[in-house]
Amino acid sequence: MRSVFLSGDLALDFIGTVSEWTSSRVELLARPRDLADWLVRAGLLDSARADAAELESARELRDALYRHVRALTEGRRTDAEAVAVINRAAGAAPPALALTARGAVSRTGDVAAALGEVARAGITLAEPSRRALIGWCDDGTCTRAFLDLSRGRRRRWCGMAGCGDKAKAAAYRRRHPTR
Ligand SMILES: [Zn+2]
């Protein structure tokens, strides 16, 4: 399974690199290389290398962000340990941005610099205007969160192929039971 960028927020997409947190807990960042790929695909770095220790700290940050977002959406305070992990990661200097001779944007830095951006995105989720927009996919096992920017806040699904479709099929079966 490939990780996806559907939530409208960097920190929420990063949390989504574990699928089904509360049940099967599918790990999408299995190797350091998966983390490096994710950081590039997220647009944080032009190229990245990661080692086992960096993967470990990325997973630690992801755990903390998951607990943070759960707390935000359940009206609780984020636990002190998660706060410390997020703040430590957020303290890293950001990736260096530069214009290339051809006028393109170059982004360079290490894993810590890129994870700092993820952590800072997670911090801004605590702002009331953003916190109010966080939703969790309605699918029973999915556990993907998103920022609901739809009119009237009607978004129910993470956007993964499957989640909304599965529910629609189940509703159809309820309306049209086979005898
Ligand atoms: Zn979903």
Side-chain angles (χ1 to χ4, degrees):
M1 198 190 307
R2 229 162 124 77
S3 50
V4 289
F5 298 88
L6 292 166
S7 76
D9 179 84
L10 190 59
L12 298 180
D13 280 331
F14 192 57
I15 290 171
T17 60
V18 166
S19 288
E20 306 182 357
W21 278 85
T22 51
S23 50
S24 60
R25 219 180 179 287
V26 183
E27 175 60 81
L28 303 185
L29 304 182
R31 303 160 302 167
R33 168 127 190 235
D34 301 326
L35 171 63
D37 283 351
W38 191 90
L39 296 173
V40 171
R41 289 174 56 227
L44 294 170
L45 298 169
D46 293 341
S47 66
R49 295 175 68 95
D51 61 25
E54 286 166 327
L55 178 59
E56 201 48 52
S57 57
R59 286 175 174 166
E60 188 189 26
L61 172 63
R62 187 182 57 189
D63 246 73
L65 287 170
Y66 176 74
R67 292 186 343 247
H68 170 54
V69 173
R70 278 285 173 208
L72 287 177
T73 54
E74 289 167 10
R76 292 181 284 109
R77 280 194 198 167
T78 302
D79 65 271
E81 195 194 323
V83 168
V85 169
I86 293 166
N87 284 344
R88 193 174 343 117
L97 259 65
L99 277 175
T100 68
R102 293 178 159 196
V105 179
S106 96
R107 291 181 169 80
T108 52
D110 59 10
V111 168
L115 289 179
E117 302 280 62
V118 176
R120 288 186 289 273
I123 288 171
T124 62
L125 290 174
E127 280 165 347
S129 59
R130 280 181 95 66
R131 176 196 304 217
L133 298 177
I134 304 171
W136 294 95
C137 180
D138 254 6
D139 180 85
T141 54
C142 174
T143 72
R144 275 176 204 282
F146 52 78
L147 276 195
D148 187 353
L149 303 171
S150 66
R151 262 178 81 183
R153 293 218 49 207
R154 301 173 70 125
R155 181 167 171 182
R156 294 178 58 198
W157 314 107
C158 65
M160 280 291 279
C163 283
D165 295 348
K166 240 191 307 183
K168 274 181 223 136
Y172 181 86
R173 282 194 303 274
R174 278 196 298 277
R175 286 195 307 272
H176 305 275
T178 46
R179 270 175 277 181

